[in-house]
Amino acid sequence: MTEAEDRKPQSDEARSAFRPPGSVAASIDGESSTTSEFEIPQGLAVPRNAGTESETTSEFSLPEGLDTLPAAPAEDEGSAFATPSTYHAWTAPTAFTPASGFPAVNLTDVPWQDRMRAMLRMPVAERPAPETAQRHDDDTGPAVPRVLDLTLRIGELLLAGGEGAEDVEAAMFAVCRSYGLDRCEPNVTFTLLSISHQPSLVEDPVTASRTVRRRGTDYTRLAAVFHLVDDLSDPDTNISLEEAYRRLAEMRRNRHPYPTWVLTTASGLLAGAASVLVGGGLTVFVAAMLGSMLGDRLAWLCAGRGLPEFYQFAVAAMPPAAMGIALTLVHVDVKASAVITGGLFALLPGRALVAGVQDGLTGFYITAAARLLEVMYFFVSIVAGVLVVLYFGVQLGAELNPDAQLGTGDEPLVQIGASMLLSLAFAILLQQERSTVLAVTLNGGVAWSVYGAMHIAGDISPVASTAAAAGLVGLFGQLMSRYRFASALPYTTAAIGPLLPGSATYFGLLAIAQSEVDKGLVSLSTAVALAMAIAIGVNLGGEISRLFLKVPGAASAAGRRAAKRTRGF
């Protein structure tokens, strides 16, 4: 090519697609060559070791003597593809990290209930690695199916004992993590427990389930299960899988702490104390006690014959109502309505109501609906039993006035003593540990004192007064459960006994029995409102207590994650 032709402008077709731009240095030997996109830009000096200039260095390795790569010159940032001077690939953040960052979860400074609840509310990708696993017999660790089976058995005891669905899931999650199983997802409904474990993204998940056939009330066994889960979650306590199975078998074999005659006597004392709370005297106390004890024995007889709980509650509600009708027919100058009301206190399903509302407030709507449906069936059975007796009593000429409201008496000390006796009897019926009976008895007295001060002395609405007293009960129960690393149920369920709406339920049933349906429905609506106030107050008290506790992953209450969904979305 001549010199004139070289100076002649070339057409667009004559230009090579691989011709280097003007800003890229030409090759040293003057020959045309294709530059690689991985070539080090001009101005970035990369020293080589002496004597190895012909060797090729990796573009992913740092040069010798440099801790970080130097920034590109400021004049090279004009290109859209140029790396900013403040960016280094070696110090770049991890990909797909949210702008706010992942919360740092402290796994050692808070009780296991709060730790596991916080992690269950996290997405799987944000959960921290498992803590130190429990001791195993070999280096391979325990068999996954056996760990899942142990987890389901523990969850079954908790759910059968009346524990809330979120607390059951937290306990199951704690057991799995204590044996080194990450990526576990427990699921709890009213009668079904299931858990799934996926070792990795390329392995098949292992899933197991268990059905809760029978439910019973034994808070002593419930506390023993909580102690086992607490020991498993403690990194300083080494419990093998065989030891955990042995302790679980002992819990199942252990007999109830109180014999049958003690439970029957406690049922009578509960009814008698409740009759005193609504203004009854000594005669009313004895009559309510005898009626409740007779109803309890008849219910045990029906249970031994295999009748469902619906009929057991209906049969147990008849003797107290019959006792009140009998006192009216023989013209004994006592408050017969107080006798019937006291008998209803021993039957109202306060424990199931609180658990159902708690499950609904924490987002377990299927379990909450099932529990509340169970409460409705129990309530209907009590209504049926009492209505049958009231109907025959009215036909026989018993004078019962549905408009006569029961009082609370003029002796506050007697009322507080009766409320404490009621809580004591309720705790025995729930088969609580003897070490917790005194605490829950005092809690019941405090709850009634708050209710009396607000409603009787302060003339505040009974619904608001009940909610405030129940909130105090829930606050105390949560604080005691965190202090003793146990369940909150033994400290709350029996303490709400004095607040149960027994009188409103009775007068609603009496009005319906006398064909005054409108008055009866109004009174029953009041009873439902009081029951919901109790359940919501207990749950709210527990949530308030957590606001002042150290929560993992949050420096304040503003960082706490909501249960299930947030604002309905």
Side-chain angles (χ1 to χ4, degrees):
M1 182 180 295
T2 63
E3 183 179 355
E5 292 175 349
D6 185 51
R7 291 195 302 266
K8 182 180 178 180
Q10 297 179 351
S11 63
D12 293 339
E13 292 80 1
R15 296 176 180 172
S16 172
F18 299 99
R19 182 184 177 118
S23 60
V24 179
S27 58
I28 299 175
D29 55 4
E31 297 179 359
S32 61
S33 60
T34 304
T35 59
S36 171
E37 63 271 20
F38 296 105
E39 183 178 356
I40 299 175
Q42 184 180 5
L44 180 60
V46 182
R48 297 177 181 269
N49 294 334
T52 59
E53 295 183 358
S54 60
E55 297 179 1
T56 303
T57 59
S58 172
E59 61 272 16
F60 299 103
S61 61
L62 279 174
E64 183 180 359
L66 294 180
D67 295 332
T68 58
L69 291 175
E75 58 269 11
D76 292 339
E77 294 187 6
S79 174
F81 300 98
T83 304
S85 59
T86 57
Y87 176 86
H88 298 294
W90 303 100
T91 59
T94 307
F96 307 108
T97 301
S100 59
F102 292 152
V105 180
N106 192 339
L107 301 178
T108 57
D109 295 339
V110 292
W112 66 266
Q113 298 101 311
D114 294 321
R115 284 185 284 154
M116 299 306 150
R117 184 182 291 109
M119 281 188 283
L120 280 175
R121 295 179 181 181
M122 289 182 182
V124 178
E126 298 183 20
R127 292 174 183 171
E131 299 136 337
T132 304
Q134 295 291 333
R135 178 175 57 84
H136 310 304
D137 295 335
D138 50 24
D139 296 335
T140 60
V144 173
R146 294 197 66 197
V147 175
L148 298 185
D149 178 72
L150 175 67
T151 302
L152 290 174
R153 291 177 183 272
I154 290 177
E156 178 189 10
L157 288 180
L158 293 176
L159 187 62
E163 193 63 67
E166 187 178 31
D167 292 328
V168 175
E169 282 195 359
M172 296 172 63
F173 192 68
V175 174
C176 286
R177 289 181 65 90
S178 65
Y179 285 103
L181 298 187
D182 198 7
R183 305 178 66 87
C184 288
E185 288 297 333
N187 189 21
V188 176
T189 56
F190 184 55
T191 58
L192 181 64
L193 298 166
S194 63
I195 189 167
S196 177
H197 167 64
Q198 188 173 14
S200 65
L201 296 177
V202 297
E203 296 183 65
D204 296 333
V206 181
T207 304
S209 62
R210 193 174 183 88
T211 302
V212 179
R213 299 294 182 184
R214 297 186 61 183
R215 294 187 302 277
T217 303
D218 190 343
Y219 282 1
T220 300
R221 181 179 298 171
L222 189 70
V225 176
F226 262 77
H227 288 315
L228 175 59
V229 178
D230 180 51
D231 291 339
L232 291 174
S233 303
D234 188 359
D236 298 330
T237 304
N238 293 322
I239 300 178
S240 64
L241 195 62
E242 288 71 19
E243 176 66 16
Y245 266 109
R246 185 190 63 79
R247 290 179 58 176
L248 196 62
E250 289 181 354
M251 297 174 197
R252 290 181 174 274
R253 287 195 302 265
N254 283 346
R255 306 182 68 178
H256 297 306
Y258 306 104
T260 304
W261 67 270
V262 174
L263 297 179
T264 302
T265 305
S267 177
L269 290 176
L270 192 155
S275 65
V276 174
L277 283 180
V278 293
L282 181 60
T283 305
V284 172
F285 178 90
V286 175
M289 181 176 178
L290 293 177
S292 181
M293 292 173 64
L294 180 59
D296 181 76
R297 285 293 87 200
L298 290 177
W300 276 100
L301 180 62
C302 294
R305 296 291 181 177
L307 290 178
E309 285 185 312
F310 181 89
Y311 302 105
Q312 297 176 29
F313 272 81
V315 170
M318 290 181 178
M323 189 70 68
I325 295 294
L327 292 177
T328 303
L329 292 176
V330 297
H331 303 287
V332 178
D333 189 15
V334 295
K335 294 182 178 180
S337 299
V339 177
I340 303 176
T341 300
L344 293 179
F345 265 84
L347 298 175
L348 293 178
R351 173 182 58 88
L353 176 66
V354 172
V357 174
Q358 179 182 359
D359 288 341
L361 295 177
T362 53
F364 293 84
Y365 301 112
I366 297 178
T367 306
R371 288 186 190 271
L372 294 178
L373 183 62
E374 181 188 39
V375 171
M376 187 191 73
Y377 270 99
F378 289 161
F379 193 78
V380 170
S381 66
I382 296 172
V383 168
V386 175
L387 278 180
V388 169
V389 177
L390 290 180
Y391 176 79
F392 284 105
V394 171
Q395 297 300 320
L396 293 175
E399 297 179 358
L400 299 173
N401 184 11
D403 295 328
Q405 298 295 327
L406 293 175
T408 56
D410 298 330
E411 301 179 1
L413 295 180
V414 174
Q415 301 295 309
I416 295 176
S419 65
M420 295 176 65
L421 178 61
L422 191 152
S423 299
L424 172 64
F426 205 169
I428 295 176
L429 286 176
L430 294 174
Q431 303 279 0
Q432 290 191 197
E433 290 181 301
R434 291 178 173 85
S435 60
T436 64
V437 171
L438 178 60
V440 74
T441 301
L442 296 176
N443 197 15
V446 172
W448 180 259
S449 300
V450 173
Y451 172 80
M454 295 182 63
H455 176 56
I456 301 174
D459 199 18
I460 301 176
S461 167
V463 176
S465 303
T466 301
L472 185 63
V473 169
L475 176 63
F476 174 79
Q478 287 294 335
L479 293 178
M480 286 298 296
S481 69
R482 294 308 185 272
Y483 175 72
R484 303 192 63 175
F485 296 93
S487 172
L489 289 181
Y491 300 99
T492 57
T493 305
I496 64 174
L499 305 176
L500 293 176
S503 58
T505 303
Y506 161 71
F507 284 113
L509 299 180
L510 178 60
I512 294 176
Q514 295 181 348
S515 300
E516 298 180 2
V517 181
D518 293 339
K519 292 183 179 179
L521 293 179
V522 170
S523 184
L524 290 179
S525 300
T526 303
V528 172
L530 292 173
M532 294 297 294
I534 292 173
I536 295 176
V538 170
N539 181 266
L540 183 60
E543 293 297 327
I544 291 176
S545 68
R546 295 191 185 103
L547 293 178
F548 301 98
L549 295 174
K550 191 172 183 180
V551 179
S556 63
R560 298 177 68 234
R561 292 178 179 267
K564 298 295 182 183
R565 299 185 298 174
T566 302
R567 292 181 293 178
F569 299 113

